[in-house]
């Protein structure tokens, strides 16, 4: 759509046509605001900014730990720690399987025909 077509779609209201503007404003009157409306809004905003104390001590400690872990440097350190712990547990779990396979290969080499 060209710029001229967009301009043709706009209503041609004269700024001096006060009767039409008054009629448009009266078609949807805005209800008056309650008393002390702005004061209530600012009070709610101030209340929303204040931190809510945790109900129990263990939950407060857990919240602090989670807050610390979500910081970028602690999150990176936690990720590294979890990767190392996962790698170590994988090595420990697989070492038992490797040891068992080595024993089976040794027994097969020493006694190729097992006695039943």
């Amino acid at each position: 759509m060209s710029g001229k077509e967009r301009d043709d779609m706009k209503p041609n209201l004269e700024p001096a046509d006060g009767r039409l503007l008054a009629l448009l404003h009266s078609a949807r009157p805005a209800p008056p605001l309650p008393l002390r409306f702005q004061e209530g809004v600012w009070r709610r905003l101030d209340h929303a900014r204040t931190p809510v104390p945790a109900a129990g001590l263990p939950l407060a400690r857990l919240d602090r730990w989670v807050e610390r872990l979500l910081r970028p440097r602690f999150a990176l350190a936690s990720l590294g720690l979890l990767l190392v712990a996962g790698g170590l547990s994988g090595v420990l779990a697989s070492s038992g399987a490797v040891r068992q396979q080595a024993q089976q290969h040794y027994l097969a080499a020493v006694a190729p025909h097992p006695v039943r």
Side-chain angles (χ1 to χ4, degrees), residues 4-17 20-21 24:
K4 176 146 176 54
E5 290 174 359
R6 275 191 239 137
D7 289 338
D8 291 340
M9 293 175 65
K10 291 181 183 177
N12 293 327
L13 294 177
E14 298 279 329
D17 194 4
L20 179 60
L21 290 176
L24 288 174

Side-chain angles (χ1 to χ4, degrees), residues 29-91:
L33 293 175
L35 295 175
R36 305 173 93 183
F37 176 76
Q38 285 184 337
E39 182 182 324
V41 169
W42 285 111
R43 189 177 334 113
R44 279 183 265 154
L45 285 173
D46 286 338
H47 181 68
R49 284 187 213 149
T50 59
V52 178
L57 187 62
L59 289 177
R61 287 183 183 166
L62 180 64
D63 286 344
R64 275 187 261 144
W65 272 100
V66 169
E67 184 179 315
R68 285 182 187 155
L69 287 178
L70 291 179
R71 292 181 186 162
R73 71 176 160 179
F74 289 116
L76 186 60
S78 301
L79 179 64
L81 184 66
L82 287 174
L83 286 174
V84 168
L88 285 175
S89 67
V91 166

